[in-house]
Amino acid sequence: MPMILTGRPGAGFRDTALFRPRSVLLHADPALPESSILTRNLREGRFQGRLMAEGLEGFEPPEGAPDLAILCVAPDAQAQAMQEIAAMGCHAVVVPTAAPDLAEIAGSAGIRALGERSFGLALPGIGLNATLSHLHVPKGRLALMAQSSAIARAVIDWAAAEGLGFSHIIGIGSNEDLGFALGLDWLARDSGTACVLLDLRRIKQRRLFVSAARATARTRPVLALRPGGRSDDPSGVGEAVMDAVLRRAGILRAAGFEDWLAAAETLARTRPRAGTGAGDRVAIVANGLGMARLAADAAVAQGLQLAELTEATKAGLGALLDGRAARNPLALGASAGGRLAEAAKVLAAAREVDVVMAVHAPEPERTPAASFATTGMRGRGAPILLGWIGEASAHDERAALSEAGLPVFDTPEAVARGAAHLAAERRNRATAAELPDSDVLKVEPDRAAVRALFAAARAEGRLSLLEDEALAVLGAYGIATLPVWRAATPARAAGAAVAVGFPVALKAHALLRHKSEVGGVLLNLRDGASVAAAAAAMAEEVPRRAPGVALQGFLVQRQAPRGMMELRLRVGDDAMFGPWIGFGQGGTAADFAQDEAFDLPPLNLPLAHGLIARTRLSRLLPGFRDRAPVNEPAIADALVRVSQLLIDFPEVASLSVNPLFADARGVLAADAALTLRPEGETPVFAILPYPAHLSAEFTAPDGRVFEIRPIRPEDAAAHGEHFRSLPPEDVRFRFFSALRELPPAMLARLTQIDYGREMAFVALQGGKILGTARVIREGGGTAAEFAVALSPTAKGTGLGQHLMTRAIAWARGEGIRELIGQILADNQPMLAFVRRLGFTLSRSDEDADVMIAKLPLSPEREPSG
C-alpha cells in the first residue's frame, strides 16, 4: 500500500510518486550547468513514463499533474517555481542545486523535497536517470543513498568497472526536507534491491532513521560510510555513538571508501551461509602452496578461523588431490585446472565450512576463467570467493568472472576481506535474531527521592548536583555506593572518619569537575589527626587552585577495599543521536586509556552484556594471574539501572560514575557527577524506550485477571509457547500456512519490535502469553495492518475484544487513520469478530479466498464494543 504522509507539509505526497513515478517534469534554468546534465541523462535513460519540460526536444509539453518534478533553478526563483509545481498537483520534487530555504519554501507550497544539492534520483528499472551522473546508470541490485555527489559519481564509476548495476540511486543532499528514513522504508520493501549503500554525514530525524534502518537491515545488507566523522570530532565520542547507532540498527559500517566498496561487491554477489554462529570458519584452496599460505595469513589477520576439515570432507576431496594430503589450506599444484573449482565445491558443501576462498595464480597451461563460471560455483552451501591473481593474463579473466556475477578479487588479502565481510553480515543477522533470556531486570527505584533531589538543586539555581547528591541518585536506583558523610569543619571531618572507620578518603564538598587536579581528594587517611590536618590543608589549597569555587565543607568516605577494579560509567548527549551511555576503564587515567564502548538507551541485560564485551578490559573480568574474577553481571545490572534513570528522568544531561569499583562481590560507586538540562529542554531518544505506561490489568467477566502490556524481547520463549498452544486451524487462519513452529528469526521479529512504528499487546496469566493483538505500519504511513490470536483457554473471555480495543486506541494515538487486515474467507469466527468491532469487509481482488477488513480511525470514531 502506498505510504501517505499527512499532518505536516506535503500532505498529498506519496512515496510511489517519488520512487515509481509515471510522469516526470523537468523545470530547469538552461543557464545553470546542472540543467544540461539532467536533460542529457533524462533523455538517454529511456524513461518508461512521460517526460515533460517546456520547449525541450524529446520532452512532452507540461500537461496534467506530474508525479515528480526535477527543479533546477537559482535560489531566488525557487519559491515561485515551487508554487507553480504545487499548483499542477505535484507534491514530490528533487532539488539538485543550492536551496538555502528549501524546507521553508517546500513546506509553504505543500511539497516534499529531496535536497538541497541532491545528486538526483535514478530508477534504472523504469529508465529514469534524473541525476548528475557522468555515466549511464545500469539496472542492477545495488541501492545507493548518498549525501555527497562526488561520492555518488565515484560509486557509479566503480560499479561500471565491476559490472554492477543499481536498483535505486537516491541523492539525499543536505536532507533539508526528505531524509534517509523515507528511502530506507521504501528499500526495505523492494524485492529488486539486494544490498544498500549509505553515505552518511548528518541525520536530522534520528528516531525515524534508526527505525527505518532497522527495518531495512532485517531483510538485506546495509553498508554505511561516514566521511569526515573522525576529523570533525577529535574526541571520538561522536564516531563511537554513530557506531552504536548503526550496530543497534543492524548496519555494517565500513572503515573507509575502499572497505565500503569491497563489502558492497561481496554482499551484492553472494550471501553468508545460513545458520547461527560467527560465520568465520574458512576453507582455502589454491593452485599453489605459496598462494594458499598467503591466503591463510590474510584470513587469520582478518580474525577468521581456518576450518577443521572432517574425515568425510577429506574423503570427498580424495579424487582431486593427485596424491596430496587433504588439509586446510589446500594446495592442488600449478596445473590444477578445473580441479580447483571442483575442490571449492566440495569444501562449500562441508558443514564445518562457512566461506571458501579459492585462489588461482597464473598456470603454465592457462585454464580459461570462463570454465569457473559454468561449473555451478553457486549453491546452497558456503559461499565461494574467488581470488584471480595476476594482471597481464588475469585482468581480462577477472572481468569475465565478474561479468558472470561471481565474487572475484585480485589479491589473497582482498579475498580474505570479502570473507570477513560475509562473517560480519552473518553475525549481524545472528545478533538480530538472537533471542534474549526471559529474565528481565526489575528496577524499582525511589523516584520520589530523585525528584526531590533534582527539585532542590534547581531551587538553589544549580543544574549540577554535588557528589553526595549524585551518589544518592544512584542509590535510589539500586546501585550500591560507598557511604559518604558530610562535614562542615576539619574537626567534624575527623569525627566522621572515626564513625566511618579507617582508612578513609577525604574529598572537597564542592562543584568540581576533577577534584584530584586541585587537591580536592586525599586517600588512605588512617587516623583522626591526619584527617583534620588534611581537611585544613584542603580548605586552603582548593580555593587557591580553583578560584571562584565555593567549598561547602568536606566529604568523608570509607576507602574502597583493596584489589577492586576501577571502571567508569558515563552518560552524555550527542548532537545527532541524543543520549548515550559509555562504559570502560576508570580512574584518573580513564580519558587516556581510550578503552570505552558506547551504546544507546534503552538497555536491557543482553545489550548491557554486549556493551561490556566490546571493551578491552572485558577480557580481564574472568580473572588473570593473581587478580580474582569480577562480577560482570553486577556491572550489566548497573548499566541497565542507569539506562532506566535516563528514561524516567530525561532531564539528566550528563552523568559520570568514576570510579565504579568492581570485584567478585559486585560494584560500588565511589564518586559521581550529575548535570541536569535547563528547564524545558527535553531530549529525543534515538530508540523509543519500552512503553511501560501502556501496561494494565483486564478482568474478564468470569473473574479471571490478565496482565496486558506491550510485548518485549524477553517474551520470545513465552511467545513461542503461545504459538505452540494454538490449534493447527488457528495457525492456518493467522499465518495462511501450516506452520508447526516459529523459527528463531521470526520469533525475534515478532518480539523485538520498534514501538514507534508498531505495537503488540500481549495478555499474560501466570507468566504465560494467552493472547496477542498487533498493529504494524510501514514507515510514517497512516494505514496499518492488524492481527490477533488467542490461546484456546482464553476464548470466550472477552480478551480478544479488549486486546483489539487497546491496539486500536494505540493506533489512533499514533496518527494511524485506517486499520487493514487480510482474513481467510472461511475464518467465520474472525469475520464475525471484526464486524462487531466496526470493520467493513470486502473480497480481495487478488485472491477470492481472502477477505479485506478495514476500519477507518477518524478522531471522532471509536471502535464498536
Side-chain angles (χ1 to χ4, degrees):
M1 162 166 289
M3 179 172 66
I4 302 175
L5 302 177
T6 59
R8 51 183 172 172
F13 173 80
R14 308 181 321 278
D15 58 353
T16 49
L18 184 63
F19 298 124
R20 281 296 177 268
R22 293 167 298 180
S23 55
V24 175
L25 170 70
L26 175 62
H27 190 302
D29 178 354
L32 295 181
E34 295 90 347
S35 297
S36 61
I37 300 171
L38 289 164
T39 302
R40 179 197 69 207
N41 287 341
L42 282 166
R43 279 179 179 150
E44 295 177 357
R46 297 184 179 180
F47 179 48
Q48 295 173 8
R50 294 177 60 210
L51 277 181
M52 297 185 288
E54 193 71 56
L56 284 179
E57 183 180 349
F59 292 74
E60 299 179 23
E63 184 180 351
D67 287 332
L68 174 65
I70 315 299
L71 178 61
C72 187
V73 298
D76 58 2
Q78 287 166 357
Q80 181 179 343
M82 203 77 79
Q83 293 291 340
E84 293 171 357
I85 290 169
M88 298 176 70
C90 178
H91 298 279
V93 173
V94 177
V95 182
T97 57
D101 303 314
L102 179 60
E104 181 181 342
I105 63 176
S108 63
I111 284 176
R112 303 304 308 275
L114 270 179
E116 58 166 329
R117 301 187 187 277
S118 166
F119 178 69
L121 182 68
L123 306 168
I126 58 174
L128 179 66
N129 184 3
T131 72
L132 300 176
S133 175
H134 62 304
L135 296 175
H136 168 69
V137 181
K139 181 180 177 181
R141 293 175 59 78
L142 273 179
L144 170 66
M145 297 186 71
Q147 292 197 257
S148 164
S149 292
I151 287 177
R153 276 189 288 270
V155 172
I156 292 169
D157 208 290
W158 160 81
E162 298 297 331
L164 295 170
F166 296 87
S167 64
H168 300 73
I169 294 178
I170 304 169
I172 299 297
S174 59
N175 66 333
E176 292 300 320
D177 184 19
L178 292 174
F180 287 93
L182 179 75
L184 285 168
D185 273 324
W186 177 271
L187 294 173
R189 309 189 299 271
D190 182 63
S191 60
T193 298
C195 181
V196 179
L197 292 172
L198 298 180
D199 156 35
L200 301 168
R201 269 201 323 276
R202 181 177 61 164
I203 306 297
K204 285 192 169 183
Q205 297 172 313
R206 62 187 72 165
R207 188 172 290 169
L208 287 177
F209 169 77
V210 173
S211 175
R214 290 172 75 179
T216 308
R218 281 194 188 107
T219 57
R220 67 213 69 213
V222 182
L223 312 173
L225 178 72
R226 190 189 183 195
R230 291 174 178 83
S231 55
D232 289 346
D233 177 24
S235 76
V237 173
E239 281 294 272
V241 172
M242 173 65 84
D243 282 342
V245 169
L246 297 178
R247 185 183 306 108
R248 289 285 286 271
I251 293 174
L252 288 177
R253 182 174 182 184
F257 189 69
E258 180 183 1
D259 187 54
W260 191 46
L261 297 184
E265 183 175 5
T266 303
L267 294 170
R269 287 184 162 141
T270 190
R271 285 286 177 273
R273 186 171 199 166
T276 58
D280 59 355
R281 300 169 303 173
V282 298
I284 298 168
V285 57
N287 63 347
L289 182 58
M291 280 298 168
R293 287 175 170 170
L294 281 174
D297 288 346
V300 171
Q302 289 288 339
L304 303 170
Q305 299 185 60
L306 297 181
E308 294 186 14
L309 304 183
T310 65
E311 292 304 319
T313 302
K314 292 177 181 178
L317 291 167
L320 304 170
L321 298 181
D322 196 20
R324 291 176 171 82
R327 57 170 61 95
N328 186 22
L330 176 61
L332 297 179
S335 300
R339 288 184 293 126
L340 183 62
E342 293 302 321
K345 289 167 61 179
V346 171
L347 291 169
R351 299 184 66 85
E352 68 271 22
V353 174
D354 294 319
V355 186
V356 177
M357 297 167 54
V359 184
H360 177 277
E363 297 184 352
E365 299 294 331
R366 292 179 60 182
T367 302
S371 65
F372 274 72
T374 59
T375 54
M377 297 295 283
R378 294 191 186 90
R380 294 186 178 181
I384 300 173
L385 305 184
L386 299 178
W388 214 264
I389 316 304
E391 199 59 34
S393 64
H395 182 276
D396 292 342
E397 294 172 344
R398 279 196 302 271
L401 291 166
S402 180
E403 189 174 345
L406 296 176
V408 58
F409 305 87
D410 59 357
T411 65
E413 293 76 17
V415 185
R417 282 198 301 272
H421 290 138
L422 286 172
E425 172 62 13
R426 178 157 141 167
R427 285 195 300 272
N428 260 20
R429 297 263 179 232
T431 300
E434 189 174 350
L435 303 177
D437 293 336
S438 58
D439 191 21
V440 177
L441 178 62
K442 292 183 178 180
V443 181
E444 297 178 351
D446 186 348
R447 294 183 178 90
V450 174
R451 197 172 294 112
L453 283 166
F454 290 171
R458 290 187 187 275
E460 295 177 10
R462 290 188 286 123
L463 293 179
S464 295
L465 269 62
L466 292 160
E467 178 184 336
D468 57 327
E469 295 171 330
L471 286 171
V473 170
L474 297 178
Y477 270 76
I479 298 173
T481 63
L482 278 171
V484 62
W485 293 59
R486 290 188 185 184
T489 66
R492 291 185 176 179
V498 173
V500 169
F502 297 101
V504 299
L506 180 72
K507 301 179 183 180
H509 191 215
L511 292 174
L512 290 165
R513 185 180 178 190
H514 298 297
K515 296 184 183 69
S516 58
E517 293 181 0
V518 295
V521 177
L522 291 171
L523 303 175
N524 207 32
L525 302 175
R526 297 184 173 274
D527 55 60
S530 60
V531 171
M538 188 179 290
E540 295 181 0
E541 186 72 4
V542 170
R544 184 180 68 80
R545 295 171 65 177
V549 172
L551 184 64
Q552 300 184 29
F554 310 94
L555 296 177
V556 178
Q557 191 176 50
R558 184 175 177 84
Q559 197 144 310
R562 295 174 62 87
M564 297 188 81
M565 185 178 289
E566 289 187 84
L567 310 173
R568 180 173 70 174
L569 190 162
R570 61 176 179 149
V571 165
D573 202 61
D574 181 68
M576 195 178 299
F577 291 108
W580 51 260
I581 296 174
F583 167 78
Q585 183 175 323
T588 55
D591 288 332
F592 302 100
Q594 295 186 336
D595 182 21
E596 188 172 25
F598 293 80
D599 213 322
L600 305 181
L603 294 180
N604 59 13
L605 285 171
L607 290 169
H609 289 301
L611 173 59
I612 296 166
R614 290 193 295 275
T615 61
R616 293 193 301 275
L617 67 83
S618 64
R619 290 173 285 183
L620 308 179
L621 299 182
F624 66 101
R625 295 182 183 172
D626 60 340
R627 297 291 295 266
V630 172
N631 189 338
E632 190 270 355
I635 303 171
D637 180 289
L639 286 165
V640 173
R641 292 178 185 277
V642 166
S643 172
Q644 190 62 47
L645 169 66
L646 294 180
I647 293 164
D648 292 345
F649 294 96
E651 62 191 289
V652 174
S654 66
L655 170 67
S656 177
V657 185
N658 184 21
L660 178 71
F661 287 113
D663 64 9
R665 293 164 294 182
V667 298
L668 279 174
D671 196 352
L674 189 151
T675 304
L676 301 173
R677 298 177 188 275
E679 200 75 52
E681 181 182 300
T682 304
V684 176
F685 289 90
I687 299 174
L688 201 64
Y690 179 76
H693 64 283
L694 296 178
S695 302
E697 286 188 347
F698 167 66
T699 303
D702 63 4
R704 296 169 65 184
V705 178
F706 298 89
E707 178 192 1
I708 311 296
R709 61 166 172 79
I711 203 166
R712 56 192 178 204
E714 294 85 358
D715 289 326
H719 195 57
E721 188 63 33
H722 166 61
F723 176 82
R724 288 188 289 273
S725 76
L726 300 178
E729 187 73 348
D730 286 5
V731 172
R732 183 178 70 85
F733 284 153
R734 169 66 178 86
F735 293 95
F736 290 20
S737 64
L739 286 173
R740 294 184 178 180
E741 188 86 12
L742 287 177
M746 185 179 291
L747 265 179
R749 171 67 188 88
L750 293 173
T751 55
Q752 299 175 25
I753 69 172
D754 184 334
Y755 301 109
R757 67 170 57 208
E758 64 181 290
M759 178 55 64
F761 286 103
V762 292
L764 299 102
Q765 198 175 58
K768 292 185 176 181
I769 294 177
L770 299 179
T772 62
R774 192 176 297 269
V775 175
I776 306 171
R777 65 175 170 184
E778 293 179 339
T782 59
E785 296 182 0
F786 76 93
V788 62
L790 290 181
S791 294
T793 57
K795 291 183 178 180
T797 62
L799 180 61
Q801 184 162 310
H802 178 77
L803 285 170
M804 274 302 298
T805 302
R806 293 286 304 277
I808 290 168
W810 176 85
R812 182 180 288 106
E814 291 294 313
I816 294 170
R817 291 293 168 255
E818 187 177 42
L819 285 182
I820 302 171
Q822 295 185 350
I823 304 171
L824 288 175
D826 60 343
N827 188 354
Q828 292 302 321
M830 178 59 76
L831 294 174
F833 174 72
V834 297
R835 281 195 190 99
R836 289 196 300 271
L837 288 170
F839 283 79
T840 60
L841 294 166
S842 61
R843 198 167 294 275
S844 169
D845 294 333
E846 299 175 359
D847 189 341
D849 293 330
V850 173
M851 302 293 290
I852 305 298
K854 293 185 178 182
L855 178 69
L857 296 180
S858 62
E860 297 80 20
R861 181 185 177 91
E862 295 292 336
S864 302

